Amino acid sequence: MNNQVFTKEIRLEDGRSITLETGKLAKQADGSVVVKMGGTMLLATVVSAKDARDGVDFMPLTVEYREKFTAAGKIPGGFFKREGRPTDEEILTMRLVDRVLRPMFPDDYHAETQVIISVYSYDGTTMPDSLAGLAASTAIALTDIPFKAPLSEVRVARVDGKYIINPDFETLKTADMDIMVGATADSVVMVEGEFEEVSEQEMLDAIKHAHEAIKVQIQAQIELAEAAGVSKEKRVYEHETHDRDLEKKIHTDLFQSLYDIAKEPADKHVRAEKFDAVLEEFLSSYSEEELEEVAPLAKVYFSNTKKEAVRQLLLEEGIRLDGRKPTEIRPIWSEVDYLPSTHGSAVFTRGETQSLTSITLGSSLDVDRVDSLLGEYSKKFYLHYNFPPFSTGEARPIRGTSRREIGHGNLAERALKKMIPEDNPYTVRVVSDILESNGSSSMATVCAGTLALMDAGIKLKKPVSGIAMGLITDTESGKWTVLSDILGDEDHLGDMDFKVTGTKDGITACQMDIKVDGLAHEILEKALMQAKEGRLHILGEMMKTISEPNEQLKANAPKIVTMRIPSDYIGALIGPGGKMIQAIQADTGTNISIEEDGNEGIVEISGVDQAGMDEAIQRVKDITFEPEVGAVYTGKVVSTKPFGAFVEIKKGTEGLVHISELEWHRVNDVEDVVKVGDEIQVKYLENDPKSGKMRLSRKVLLPRPDKKQRNDKED
């Protein structure tokens, strides 16, 4: 058995290194590689079937990414002590890798292909998702699987104006830009990230910086494959059968009809029916026996011809399927306060895409707690996106949250989260339900989310809007057109899906997928500037509905009060077995949470009823009351003794006013001055050095008489 191990080192610009290793692990896979950076190690494998399954006419690619808890010396929490379904973070990484790999397989390659990336060691610093794309591409590069070109992904962050490739976890926290870029040596194919209102040029500069680092990683893959003796010849396959005469006939007979239908503006269902009718008429000339052979191929050629007709219409005449010009945005209408019982809500409709978004405000008890390989953390702002089948007029089963829903929700969350004020006391959950979809529903979610947050009274720093851009290119003629606010069909038939969100002052998030090789910098820059114009137009339409956050929260929204108490009182407030805090919550209808912060406890009280809130606040004050020497209090006389009166200044807290501290003159009987039940003002003098009890005084708060008045009183 050949146990020879091959390695290749990649040096980053700051001196850190990445090592690629093959030949030691998982040798029964078609390709496998270990990628190591610091103490973080990933194993990526790829296996592709030798033949395609019958009836498969697409690329059945599966990308799996798993972070093993053992990699960080951790045991999974919960009842079952093993990793379960992938976390949202793992799914997002799978999507990032899938989106760069999928366009690089030949269009006619339909063999079942599986890429599995596992994190087996994590050093607590190096972020493994930054290495996942490199690992996947390297594993494929070590095989004979047909693949257009090796690629890689890197994360680029900007800290203090400096770009950093694959920053560590702590460095990323201080960055004003966090962007993942996937590319081949020749062109960028995928971008996704979040920003603190950066300009279009700053985003372009970050992409360029990432691309230069990617080129070095691609060269390392090529050299590793050469060292390992991998042949440049790829496996021979034949997954499609073609009838070129039929293909030519469909193009010749149907192109003009399809072109004319595309030229006539219509909604997507009417347009789809017209297109389908053309195919049905063409197939009607064949017998049932002939259709068994002709129909599958005819549908493929028909789809290709339709795609060409729509693209040519755009390039030659600048006409889109719904009649718009390339830069034109579909009609927009929106409404806030639509749902009477939520804490905030909005409907945003752009053309045939509609989001109904609601806001729920909660306390710190409602944060989204995440337990991942990178550690445990919580999110006070999170967004959930739902895409029911009726939104596209379909009837299909709902089987839990899809990877697409998680990805779209994450993009919208990243677009909005930096506009939530740091001093916002609430946990905020945003839920977007897509009720109609023909175009970017994630961008509709961003717009609806902004409106709903302002309706809820959240003091957004600035409102955010989003737009999806498309691209149609013709490599032969060199013509290209950038499209604003793309339709679903334009996404499917086009060469780019580029989503950009931002405020009036800059970009907050983006997601881009490129379907063509060699995207020119000129086109990318044009798309960004055209997107800015579209974003600002959409933002202007949104502001006609609500231009500023509401001053007041909804009547049914919770109120939150934060108090700080000495840490010594945390135990008393919680009580034995939590009985005290549970009783307060039950009696007042509030929720109370306590966090320790150094020598203090932070007590958060939330509730809807103000009277209950006030009672809970007072009970916390009573339990945690700590009198200050020199302070003045109004208290109640609870008992009298020959030597003085005991005064309760707070529930459970009392001190002694000695008989000599009742009046400036001599007092013979305490009850000549005060009686049980009297309310009096007293000053806290000190703690008695012997008993430790509070010494209070009434007389120091009274006007001091002159000597003659004191003598007269005593006489």
Side-chain angles (χ1 to χ4, degrees), residues 262 271 275 302-311 314 321 471-473 483 486-496 515-516:
R271 185 168 59 247
F275 281 139
F302 177 82
S303 178
N304 294 340
T305 303
K306 179 176 68 173
K307 179 177 180 178
E308 183 183 347
V310 173
R311 292 167 65 90
L314 275 161
L321 290 171
L471 173 69
I472 303 294
T473 60
L483 307 176
I486 57 174
L487 300 168
D489 285 343
E490 290 172 337
D491 180 11
H492 175 67
L493 301 173
D495 301 319
M496 178 180 73
K515 306 171 189 176
V516 291

Side-chain angles (χ1 to χ4, degrees), residues 469-678:
M469 309 295 294
L471 173 69
I472 303 294
T473 60
D474 187 339
T475 54
E476 291 185 7
S477 66
K479 293 181 179 180
W480 54 272
T481 301
V482 174
L483 307 176
S484 296
D485 180 23
I486 57 174
L487 300 168
D489 285 343
E490 290 172 337
D491 180 11
H492 175 67
L493 301 173
D495 301 319
M496 178 180 73
D497 179 13
F498 192 1
K499 302 180 180 74
V500 188
T501 73
T503 68
K504 61 182 178 62
D505 296 319
I507 298 169
T508 60
C510 77
Q511 184 182 93
M512 179 178 71
D513 293 306
I514 303 296
K515 306 171 189 176
V516 291
D517 298 332
L519 180 67
H521 179 77
E522 175 192 7
I523 297 177
L524 188 55
E525 185 173 12
K526 165 70 173 174
L528 271 171
M529 299 313 297
Q530 193 168 312
K532 181 179 181 180
E533 295 175 6
R535 281 195 293 109
L536 294 178
H537 168 78
I538 294 169
L539 192 60
E541 294 299 303
M542 291 163 56
M543 295 304 97
K544 293 176 182 178
T545 299
I546 181 171
S547 58
E548 296 287 341
N550 286 329
E551 286 299 321
Q552 301 296 326
L553 301 178
K554 305 292 184 183
N556 61 338
K559 303 163 184 65
I560 292 182
V561 172
T562 301
M563 304 169 63
R564 289 184 174 268
I565 64 173
S567 58
D568 294 343
Y569 285 96
I570 292 176
L573 180 56
I574 295 174
K579 289 183 179 179
M580 179 60 71
I581 196 169
Q582 290 172 11
I584 297 174
Q585 292 179 120
D587 294 344
T588 62
T590 59
N591 289 314
I592 302 175
S593 65
I594 307 172
E595 289 186 8
E596 195 165 358
D597 182 18
N599 295 323
E600 289 186 310
I602 302 175
V603 182
E604 182 187 87
I605 304 172
S606 64
V608 176
D609 179 62
Q610 189 61 54
M613 288 281 293
D614 293 342
E615 183 183 347
I617 292 167
Q618 187 58 53
R619 287 174 67 167
V620 171
K621 286 181 177 179
D622 290 344
I623 294 171
T624 62
F625 175 68
E626 190 170 88
E628 297 180 19
V629 173
V632 176
Y633 300 99
T634 299
K636 181 181 290 187
V637 178
V638 293
S639 67
T640 58
K641 303 294 182 183
F643 52 82
F646 286 95
V647 178
E648 185 180 62
I649 59 174
K650 283 288 181 183
K651 187 175 181 180
T653 303
E654 60 182 55
L656 173 67
V657 181
H658 192 267
I659 191 170
S660 62
E661 294 294 336
L662 287 171
E663 292 278 1
W664 284 106
H665 62 81
R666 180 174 179 173
V667 176
N668 294 317
D669 188 338
V670 171
E671 296 208 356
D672 287 344
V673 181
V674 295
K675 293 181 172 55
V676 174
D678 288 352

Side-chain angles (χ1 to χ4, degrees), residues 136-204:
S137 178
T138 305
I140 297 171
L142 294 167
T143 74
D144 65 347
I145 298 170
F147 202 62
K148 295 178 184 177
L151 50 81
S152 190
E153 283 181 339
V154 298
R155 169 179 272 113
V156 58
R158 189 176 67 176
V159 179
D160 298 328
K162 181 182 178 182
Y163 294 114
I164 302 172
I165 298 296
N166 291 355
D168 60 38
F169 189 62
E170 289 303 315
T171 300
L172 191 61
K173 292 179 180 178
T174 62
D176 65 355
M177 180 184 295
D178 173 12
I179 184 171
M180 291 286 286
V181 179
T184 65
D186 298 324
S187 62
V188 174
V189 295
M190 189 281 300
V191 178
E192 181 163 331
E194 60 183 81
F195 315 86
E196 291 187 5
E197 296 183 284
V198 304
S199 68
E200 283 71 16
Q201 188 57 52
E202 287 173 308
M203 179 178 162
L204 287 170

Side-chain angles (χ1 to χ4, degrees), residues 84-334:
R85 66 175 297 276
T87 65
D88 285 1
E89 287 70 24
E90 289 171 316
I91 289 172
L92 293 171
T93 302
M94 295 176 202
R95 283 175 54 83
L96 286 173
V97 176
D98 185 293
R99 284 161 47 202
V100 293
L101 296 183
R102 192 173 292 275
M104 304 310 295
F105 288 95
D107 293 338
D108 60 351
Y109 188 72
H110 304 321
E112 187 82 34
T113 304
Q114 185 178 51
V115 175
I116 299 179
I117 309 160
S118 302
V119 182
Y120 281 110
S121 179
Y122 172 59
D123 60 11
T125 301
T126 305
M127 302 189 69
D129 61 341
S130 303
L131 305 172
L134 168 62
S137 178
T138 305
I140 297 171
L142 294 167
T143 74
D144 65 347
I145 298 170
F147 202 62
K148 295 178 184 177
L151 50 81
S152 190
E153 283 181 339
V154 298
R155 169 179 272 113
V156 58
R158 189 176 67 176
V159 179
D160 298 328
K162 181 182 178 182
Y163 294 114
I164 302 172
I165 298 296
N166 291 355
D168 60 38
F169 189 62
E170 289 303 315
T171 300
L172 191 61
K173 292 179 180 178
T174 62
D176 65 355
M177 180 184 295
D178 173 12
I179 184 171
M180 291 286 286
V181 179
T184 65
D186 298 324
S187 62
V188 174
V189 295
M190 189 281 300
V191 178
E192 181 163 331
E194 60 183 81
F195 315 86
E196 291 187 5
E197 296 183 284
V198 304
S199 68
E200 283 71 16
Q201 188 57 52
E202 287 173 308
M203 179 178 162
L204 287 170
D205 290 344
I207 294 172
K208 285 182 182 178
H209 196 86
H211 198 189
E212 292 306 311
I214 285 171
K215 291 176 183 178
V216 175
Q217 296 184 5
I218 289 171
Q219 184 59 34
Q221 295 176 50
I222 295 171
E223 292 175 8
L224 180 68
E226 290 175 349
V230 177
S231 172
K232 293 183 179 180
E233 295 296 322
K234 298 302 179 182
R235 68 178 63 169
V236 177
Y237 66 93
E238 189 173 346
H239 297 164
E240 293 184 353
T241 302
H242 288 282
D243 182 338
R244 298 306 175 188
D245 291 336
L246 176 64
E247 181 180 26
K248 183 178 180 180
K249 178 175 175 58
I250 287 177
H251 187 276
T252 302
D253 293 356
L254 305 185
F255 179 87
Q256 190 59 48
S257 296
L258 297 175
Y259 190 95
D260 293 340
I261 292 172
K263 193 172 182 178
E264 183 180 345
D267 69 43
K268 70 173 185 177
H269 293 296
V270 172
R271 185 168 59 247
E273 288 173 0
K274 290 182 178 179
F275 281 139
D276 290 344
V278 173
L279 177 60
E280 288 177 11
E281 184 178 353
F282 176 83
L283 293 176
S284 65
S285 62
Y286 291 90
S287 66
E288 289 188 13
E289 292 78 10
E290 291 173 323
L291 281 177
E292 289 184 12
E293 181 179 349
V294 170
L297 286 175
K299 290 177 181 178
V300 173
Y301 302 145
F302 177 82
S303 178
N304 294 340
T305 303
K306 179 176 68 173
K307 179 177 180 178
E308 183 183 347
V310 173
R311 292 167 65 90
Q312 287 301 316
L313 177 65
L314 275 161
L315 290 170
E316 298 300 331
E317 301 188 49
I319 298 175
R320 302 169 67 173
L321 290 171
D322 57 359
R324 284 181 293 148
K325 298 175 182 177
T327 60
E328 192 175 347
I329 310 298
R330 287 173 290 177
I332 292 169
W333 69 264
S334 56

